[in-house]
Amino acid sequence: MKKIVIVGGGTAGWMSALIMAREWSRQGVSICLVESPEVGIIGVGEGSTPALKLFFDRLNIAEQEWMPACNATYKCGIRFDGWSTHAGFESYFHPFSAALDRQTLPMFMHNAQARLRGANVYAQPDRFFIASRLAQQCLAPVAPEHFPFDVHYGYHFDSTLLGQFLRKKALALGVVHELGHVVAVKQHEHGDIASVQLAGDKHIAADFFVDCTGFSSLLLQKTLAVPFISYANNLLNDAAVALPSAIDEKIPSQTLATAMSCGWAWKIPLTNRYGNGYVYSSAFCSADQAEYELRAHLGLLDADVPVRHLRMKIGRVEQHLAGNCLAVGLSQGFIEPLEATALFLVQQTVAVFAEYFTRGEFTHRLRDEFNQRINNHFDGVRDYIVTHYKTSSRRDTEYWRANTANQQDVSPVMLALYRSWFEGKDLAAEINRLQIGSYYPAPSWYSIFTGMGIVPKGEQLRTATAEEACIDINAVDEFLRRCALNFSDHRAQLARWQSSE
Ligand SMILES: Cc1cc2nc3c(=O)[nH]c(=O)nc-3n(C[C@H](O)[C@H](O)[C@H](O)COP(=O)(O)OP(=O)(O)OC[C@H]3O[C@@H](n4cnc5c(N)ncnc54)[C@H](O)[C@@H]3O)c2cc1C
């Protein structure tokens, strides 16, 4: 392979360019990224998983450099408000993991399993994880050197600034940037892509093409006609409205996901503003209604703020690699942004592609194996997202009734997992058996089931036996309180990066 052309200059395009340049530019592979001056980037997507840290670490890009440039903040996890109506379960925290969890996770799982058997013990994630404690206190999850346990964390960032930052880095690694709108795609007789034609009649040929054209999926879906598999039958949200609001004095180190009448609202803290959005189903709510509800929720009914309305296509392609074309980003699929997994899937796709590519030319078997692996990732993430809706006890609107009533098309893997939970079996063992721990690990599954209140409650509870009641939750509180003393205030930590710019 001598030349790669990436079409699309959104986050997916520039991330792909950087990973590919790091892998192959020293071997003489030239990389060109073509970006349309007419079609903008999607410009939303402000939250990440801990995988983004790995991306920057591998490129040797320090937080001090990229975070201030992108108005970025730290993210310990996600707080879910209003998803459950069960008394005492109205809010829960889904934490990112930490080395310290080795101390507290077994206690959480012990209590969760005991609660499943009807024992009256505390079993929500909130009081068992350092990430949750740090988020509660608006602390930065960066462990100081004298604290010997790392905390894994994600980030919040301005997606437009992140794109610009990645572009600068990619150009420094020798990626060529071409501004031009692709008007036609030329194929060889055997079907592979030969070149893209830009407005003004310039043609760019290459051995390999990366489709990062967003939802339009110009190369993979439109040219190579790879089918799209919709997830719409069990993920109903297909639209979003986004607007900013003023940031608070204390900067939270968590994303807030609040259930709304026809979807949910995100609140993402950046250093200079909150990014807010309402992800909803257009079958149940008009764009105007959604904007009104979001504004009312934020206390911004009459505020003069820039508002963006977006549509989303939820699902994935059947094959991410077809012929000499790899689709990355929205062009390969999108699962609604509830757990902010899109950039993780971008990284995963390009990293796994690089791994396969270095094993030699793609045979049919390797190609199928690659596509299956990426499909499994998409479906694995989808199943976790779907579980938020299946476990919600909200029934107050048509939207929630439709969401929770629809038990069709829940994957066999999910059915097995739900059955295991309801039968009070060892869920961690079932996750291992189903081989789904690499998409979402056991603590995430325990967190969602217990957090949503899918456990015995009220009169279903009995007094715990001595063995079941062996965890002293006040001692866990005290342990985490003392651990948290080692961490800095979030705003102060971010200011430190800004002053070292
Ligand atoms: C409401 C919403 C919330 C989201 N929240 C998150 C989140 O919290 N976390 C997360 O990880 N992700 C999130 N995402 C997803 C995230 O925004 C995207 O995955 C990410 O921005 C990558 O987009 P992209 O680069 O694939 O596409 P885009 O940003 O749409 O870029 C497409 C590129 O293709 C180019 N292009 C298109 N047509 C042509 C053509 N004919 N010729 C040349 N160039 C062309 C455009 O110029 C543009 O540069 C969210 C998405 C939505 C809709």
Side-chain angles (χ1 to χ4, degrees), residues 7-14 33-49 75 157 159 180-183 198 212-216 218 239-242 266 268 279 310-312 328-331 333-337 339-344 346:
V7 184
T11 321
W14 289 112
L33 185 144
V34 182
E35 181 182 9
S36 169
E38 294 164 32
V39 185
I41 61 166
I42 190 143
V44 284
E46 302 183 323
S48 86
T49 67
K75 173 178 172 186
F157 45 83
S159 66
H181 186 72
V182 173
V183 289
L198 309 187
C212 294
T213 58
F215 283 128
S216 67
L218 187 63
V241 50
W266 78 75
I268 287 186
V279 178
L310 301 127
R311 295 307 293 247
M312 309 183 301
V328 183
L330 299 174
S331 62
F334 183 52
I335 307 166
E336 65 143 283
E339 292 275 349
T341 44
L343 294 188
F344 161 66
V346 164

